[in-house]
């Protein structure tokens, strides 16, 4: 006996209603308003004037839109710097985590679980405190320089605070677990018999790595890069505390437009550009993943 | 198996990896007990005064502008954080669980849309959601405060709860639920007696995760908090923007200890149930 259709559907509607209201009211509508604001002109004291004004985008993108008058290369440079630092962050995370993932996957079971626990734990530590720890280490009178001083190496003491290097270090530290976990999941699935087979057939270790290990762990690499790149690109806490005014990223610029410059439409346009960049990035990754492994459809 | 050079390199790399993860946190721990009031990075001696100071207890420290101005602000920030996290956790756990049940136990045309929509708040940069909510709350004329923070947190916390509960639901077969229905139990009794008890570890895990993420959130809160609704991360951010004070080490250690205890409980619960 199949139950009547109607009551089942009502239950579904009841279960979906809260999430639908929440996502529509506090997610889609706010994003829609933000998108609308990005095409309006700024009000005198924050807020907007309700008139169509397409030049918010022209200010960042410049010539291609034909709004050369409004174009300010500062913002394009900030956007490019954010893309560059996010790319470097993802690359450094990958290089640090890849061997570590292999190491953990080869440990005997009880120790493996302990180390997985240890790797996951910092993920739950408060973000601001993890950034603060690097302020303690990197500032001119911080741990690094004090330690070098004690060792008699004061001449080599770097002034890393408020540099791009400091921002990259902070981003890498904060986002490491995001890279490690997908990589580990991919490495763990790797069948050791395949490596043995490759070696038995006469492949050098390097060839085995490039032709067998790398393609098989590619989904983990791509996944890790995506979920590191996105928060790194829009990050605002790390550059604010470790980069200061010298290393402005797009996140800080958006904050400034909202809380200091009070140009909300321009801030909204920058946020839309962040979203667009991420969308393009994810599409590129999805296409690449599709081409590398045609059997995978996602 | 013989240990090769490659194995040794890997082990060293792994040890280095853990060192990088824990050294910065260990430094805060050590220096939170340093009695040097002039240069906090030069070790002078052991003291608990920084911890006493944040609780407003008498200390050996000379009164100076070096120290956190008011314990009352800190206490208020902690209280705000806990209130927000509790409310946001309860609401988002209910919403996330309901949504997981809807998508995990029903078939409907819009399912892929919901799945995509639920992922978005988690992967979108915090700052974008933060300013979208700011524009929205200002637009509809809601005074920023604890209620706007709770509402904002629910948007992304529900997605996290949904993911955790869905994972648990996917690991359960529908057999027992069908058996219960065949034996004449009403859908509500089946849910209460069969589905819920099995799902509970997932719901508890999702709620713990939501609580930690809510306590941790800085960026979204930053844009939708009012003057009187400073949370603990906002308080620490404000202090750090003005300069580093030794008490921050003590506050950071207490907060870390709290997060680690909650997270360790959650991870332990999960490993025990599996």
């Amino acid at each position: 006996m199949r139950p009547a259709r109607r009551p089942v559907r009502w239950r579904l509607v009841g279960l979906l209603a809260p999430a639908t209201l929440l996502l529509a009211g506090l997610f889609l509508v706010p994003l829609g308003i933000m998108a609308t604001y990005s095409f309006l002109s700024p009000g005198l004291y924050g807020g907007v004037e309700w008139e169509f004004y397409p030049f918010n985008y022209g200010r960042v993108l410049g010539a291609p839109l034909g709004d050369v008058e409004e174009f300010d290369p500062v913002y394009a440079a900030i956007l490019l710097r954010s893309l560059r630092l996010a790319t470097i962050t993802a690359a450094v995370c990958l290089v640090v985590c890849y061997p570590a993932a292999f190491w953990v996957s080869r440990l005997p079971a009880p120790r493996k679980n302990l180390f997985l626990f240890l790797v996951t734990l910092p993920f739950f530590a408060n973000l601001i405190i993890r950034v603060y720890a690097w302020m303690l280490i990197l500032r001119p009178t911080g741990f690094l320089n004090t330690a070098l001083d004690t060792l008699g190496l004061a001449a080599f003491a770097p002034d890393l605070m408020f540099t791009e290097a400091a921002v990259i270090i902070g981003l890498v530290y904060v986002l490491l677990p995001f890279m490690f976990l997908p990589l580990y999941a991919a490495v763990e699935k790797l069948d050791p018999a395949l490596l043995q087979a490759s070696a038995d057939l006469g492949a050098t270790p390097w060839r085995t790595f490039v032709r067998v290990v790398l393609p098989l762990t590619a989904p983990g690499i791509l996944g890790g890069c995506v979920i590191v790149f996105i928060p790194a690109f829009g990050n605002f806490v790390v550059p604010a505390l470790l980069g200061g005014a010298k290393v402005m990223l797009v996140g800080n610029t958006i904050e400034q437009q909202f809380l200091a410059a009070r140009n909300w439409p321009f801030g909204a346009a920058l946020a839309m550009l962040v979203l667009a960049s991420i969308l393009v990035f994810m599409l590129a990754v999805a296409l690449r993943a599709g081409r590398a492994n045609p059997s995978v459809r996602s | 198996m013989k240990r090769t050079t490659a194995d040794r390199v890997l082990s060293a790399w792994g040890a280095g990896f853990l060192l990088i993860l824990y050294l910065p946190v260990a430094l805060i721990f050590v220096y939170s007990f340093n009695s040097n009031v002039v240069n906090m990075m030069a070790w002078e001696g052991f003291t608990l005064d920084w911890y006493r100071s944040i609780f407003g207890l008498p200390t050996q420290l000379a009164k100076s502008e070096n120290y956190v101005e008011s314990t009352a602000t800190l206490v208020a920030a902690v209280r705000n954080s806990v209130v927000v996290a509790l409310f946001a956790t309860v609401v988002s756990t209910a919403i996330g669980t309901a949504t997981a049940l809807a998508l995990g136990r029903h078939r409907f045309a819009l399912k892929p849309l919901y799945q995509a929509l639920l992922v978005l708040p988690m992967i979108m940069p915090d700052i974008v959601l933060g300013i979208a909510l700011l524009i929205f709350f200002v637009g509809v004329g809601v005074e920023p405060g604890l209620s706007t923070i709770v509402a904002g947190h629910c948007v992304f916390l529900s997605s996290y709860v949904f993911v955790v509960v869905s994972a648990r639901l996917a690991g359960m077969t529908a057999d027992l639920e069908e058996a219960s229905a065949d034996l004449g139990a009403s859908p509500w009794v089946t849910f209460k007696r069969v589905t819920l008890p099995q799902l509970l570890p997932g719901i508890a895990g999702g709620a713990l995760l939501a609580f930690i993420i809510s306590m941790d959130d800085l960026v979204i809160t930053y844009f939708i908090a009012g003057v009187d609704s400073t949370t603990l991360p906002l308080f620490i951010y404000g202090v750090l923007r003005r300069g580093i004070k030794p008490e921050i080490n003590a506050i950071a250690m207490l907060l870390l200890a709290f997060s680690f205890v909650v997270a360790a409980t959650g991870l332990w619960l999960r490993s025990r149930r599996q």
Side-chain angles (χ1 to χ4, degrees):
Chain A
M1 279 277 280
R2 291 184 64 84
R5 270 190 95 74
R6 224 174 134 72
V8 176
R9 291 285 115 170
W10 275 116
R11 217 187 314 152
L12 175 62
V13 169
L15 286 173
L16 278 178
T20 310
L21 287 176
L22 181 78
L23 288 173
L26 288 173
F27 186 67
L28 293 179
V29 167
L31 285 179
I33 299 177
M34 187 183 84
T36 313
Y37 270 30
S38 72
F39 290 104
L40 299 176
S41 72
L44 215 49
Y45 309 101
V48 287
E49 296 289 334
W50 282 92
E51 52 185 18
F52 181 67
Y53 184 79
F55 306 114
N56 295 314
Y57 291 96
R59 217 169 146 190
V60 185
L61 302 173
L65 289 179
D67 311 316
V68 187
E69 276 182 334
E70 295 282 336
F71 178 57
D72 190 340
V74 169
Y75 298 107
I78 288 174
L79 207 58
L80 287 177
R81 180 195 283 149
S82 308
L83 286 171
R84 183 163 49 86
L85 293 199
T87 309
I88 297 175
T89 300
V92 175
C93 281
L94 179 61
V95 170
V96 171
C97 290
Y98 202 71
F102 271 93
W103 176 65
V104 175
S105 81
R106 286 182 180 190
L107 290 172
R111 270 170 70 204
K112 186 191 281 188
N113 288 336
L114 173 69
F115 282 108
L116 275 181
F117 173 75
L118 285 177
V119 173
T120 324
L121 200 55
F123 177 71
F124 295 100
N126 219 289
L127 172 90
I128 184 114
I129 289 169
R130 286 183 284 159
V131 180
Y132 165 66
W134 284 97
M135 292 174 78
L136 276 186
I137 296 173
L138 297 178
R139 71 203 175 106
T141 56
F143 177 75
L144 181 64
N145 287 356
T146 309
L148 287 174
D149 203 26
T150 317
L151 296 171
L153 298 169
F156 297 100
D159 187 7
L160 285 172
M161 197 64 180
F162 305 130
T163 63
E164 286 192 359
V167 175
I168 292 171
I169 290 172
L171 287 173
V172 167
Y173 183 67
V174 167
L175 299 172
L176 268 182
F178 286 110
M179 180 63 86
F180 182 86
L181 293 173
L183 274 185
Y184 173 76
V187 168
E188 182 72 8
K189 271 193 287 190
L190 199 66
D191 188 351
L194 292 176
L195 308 186
Q196 193 61 50
S198 174
D200 289 349
L201 293 170
T204 58
W206 173 248
R207 205 171 153 78
T208 301
F209 178 73
V210 174
R211 302 297 289 271
V212 181
V213 177
L214 216 48
L216 285 174
T217 52
I221 296 175
L222 282 176
C225 286
V226 169
I227 60 171
V228 167
F229 179 87
I230 292 174
F233 179 52
N235 206 290
F236 137 73
V237 181
V238 174
L241 291 176
L242 292 172
K246 282 190 197 155
V247 191
M248 289 280 284
L249 295 192
V250 66
N252 312 88
T253 318
I254 295 175
E255 185 235 348
Q256 233 181 29
Q257 296 306 321
F258 274 89
L259 301 179
R262 299 235 153 234
N263 188 341
W264 288 24
F266 182 55
L270 281 171
M272 292 300 291
L273 287 172
V274 168
L275 279 185
S277 314
I278 286 170
L279 212 64
V280 169
F281 172 74
M282 287 185 69
L283 272 178
V285 169
L287 283 178
R288 242 205 128 82
R291 203 180 320 143
N293 188 358
S295 64
V296 176
R297 294 264 183 275
S298 57
Chain B
M1 218 161 68
K2 210 169 63 122
R3 267 174 71 88
T4 60
T5 323
D7 287 336
R8 273 191 214 101
V9 172
L10 265 192
S11 300
W13 194 279
F17 182 69
L18 283 180
L19 190 70
I20 293 174
L21 278 182
Y22 282 94
L23 180 74
V25 176
L27 279 180
I28 304 181
F29 178 72
V30 170
Y31 284 102
S32 71
F33 298 110
N34 185 8
S35 64
N36 194 331
V37 294
V38 185
N39 176 3
M40 64 191 275
M41 297 317 287
W43 184 260
E44 199 178 71
F46 181 86
T47 180
L48 282 174
D49 276 353
W50 303 118
Y51 289 91
R52 298 174 64 86
S53 161
I54 57 177
F55 288 110
L57 297 169
T59 64
Q60 306 290 310
L61 308 163
K63 278 275 167 239
S64 90
E65 55 176 337
N66 252 334
Y67 314 128
V68 164
E69 353 22 283
S70 123
T71 310
T73 347
L74 176 63
V75 172
V78 172
R79 201 192 51 220
N80 285 341
S81 270
V82 172
V83 168
V84 166
L86 281 177
F87 275 97
T89 300
V90 170
V91 176
S92 59
T93 303
I95 297 178
T97 305
T99 316
L101 283 168
L103 269 68
R105 285 289 185 263
H106 295 265
R107 249 176 271 165
F108 55 102
L110 290 177
K111 202 191 244 181
L113 178 75
Y114 272 94
Q115 275 160 342
L117 206 52
L118 282 159
V119 174
L120 277 181
M122 291 189 292
I123 61 167
M124 177 172 289
D126 292 349
I127 189 144
V128 177
L129 186 54
I131 62 156
L133 286 169
L134 166 71
I135 295 175
F136 175 74
F137 286 134
V138 170
V140 296
V142 180
E143 198 66 28
L146 292 181
S147 54
T148 52
I149 305 178
V150 171
H153 282 197
C154 284
V155 176
F156 56 95
L157 294 182
S158 299
S159 291
Y160 284 98
V161 175
F162 164 76
V163 168
V164 176
V165 176
S166 290
R168 176 80 193 174
L169 200 59
M172 286 163 41
T173 61
D175 295 355
L176 287 174
E177 290 160 48
E178 279 161 17
S180 165
D182 287 348
L183 293 170
S186 69
W188 171 245
V189 170
T190 299
F191 174 74
K192 206 174 66 177
R193 297 283 189 78
V194 180
T195 315
L196 194 59
Q198 287 187 84
L199 205 55
L200 218 49
I203 299 175
L208 277 180
L209 184 65
F211 190 82
I212 292 184
I213 296 177
S214 174
M215 289 284 291
D216 182 36
D217 181 72
L218 168 65
V219 178
I220 292 164
T221 312
Y222 181 78
F223 287 100
I224 56 178
V227 191
D228 299 325
S229 51
T230 298
T231 60
L232 188 54
L234 275 183
F235 173 84
I236 298 175
Y237 181 71
V239 175
L240 291 182
R241 287 303 292 262
R242 278 176 275 132
I244 290 177
K245 300 171 178 191
E247 277 100 337
I248 290 293
N249 289 332
I251 298 173
M253 270 343 284
L254 293 177
L255 193 53
L256 276 182
F258 173 77
S259 313
F260 282 175
V261 167
V262 176
T265 315
L267 291 173
W268 177 71
L269 271 177
R270 202 179 60 178
S271 68
R272 213 182 50 141
R273 298 277 180 158
Q274 266 168 1

